[in-house]
Amino acid sequence: KNEVEQSPQNLTAQEGEFITINCSYSVGISALHWLQQHPGGGIVSLFMLSSGKKKHGRLIATINIQEKHSSLHITASHPRDSAVYICAVSGRNTDKLIFGTGTRLQVFP
Amino acid sequence: DGGITQSPKYLFRKEGQNVTLSCEQNLNHDAMYWYRQDPGQGLRLIYYSQIVNDFQKGDIAEGYSVSREKKESFPLTVTSAQKNPTAFYLCASSTSRLARTNTGELFFGEGSRLTVL
């Protein structure tokens, strides 16, 4: 079993829909990252969380440390949100990251 | 503007050749990383460095080598010993959480796609 599990693996949505991507992990962490990878391959960091909730524009990320679970929400989804969303966790006392396999999101007009 | 630059974006290699991928950052970050990405798989760590002149093997270091002679630079050499080098390679940097002050946010380069002919 992977230490970081994402669901779903693939997700399609109509423009305007509310989207949720989930991430569960089984190790102790110091922080959790949500990343976005576009078809060209470059990766952008969306959020880094160690507790609670963060919001940036239409994106919201939450984390529940006790349940070892995080969610990424996209409100009013748009075709330009189509990308692979990757969850990664930083272990305690280390700079190493453990990555999930990603969720491929396609938003259709 | 500050950022992290990888080059080349595309690289073709003949079997038996070593190739070096460049990664440069001007963000004053202590920690730098090299990852490999294969279709359908999560990013896998090849090597990482938390400070100049020091680096650690990641999960799939065999067939790769790195150096960290300058804070800004962390080149990756894919040697002929790497059995299946065709992949997408990503370099990243962050302020080390082991440092006194850090945000830990990750910055990635645009990636280098290596194809072995």
Side-chain angles (χ1 to χ4, degrees), chain A residues 2 9 100-102 104, chain B residues 37-43:
Chain A
N2 292 337
Q9 284 189 307
T101 54
R104 184 175 299 277
Chain B
Q37 188 176 40
D38 294 283
Q41 296 191 37
L43 276 72

Side-chain angles (χ1 to χ4, degrees), chain B residues 4-7 11 26 44-45 49 61-62 71 84 87 100:
Chain B
I4 182 165
T5 303
Q6 282 186 244
S7 65
L11 185 60
N26 60 3
R44 292 184 290 168
L45 181 64
S49 169
E62 186 175 348
K71 189 175 187 177
N84 184 21
R100 284 186 180 278

Side-chain angles (χ1 to χ4, degrees), chain A residues 37 45 48 93 95 97 99, chain B residues 33 35 37 96-97 103 106:
Chain A
Q37 185 172 32
S45 175
M48 186 183 74
N93 300 315
D95 283 325
L97 292 162
F99 291 82
Chain B
Y33 313 82
Y35 296 99
Q37 188 176 40
S96 172
R97 71 175 300 282
T103 63
L106 282 167

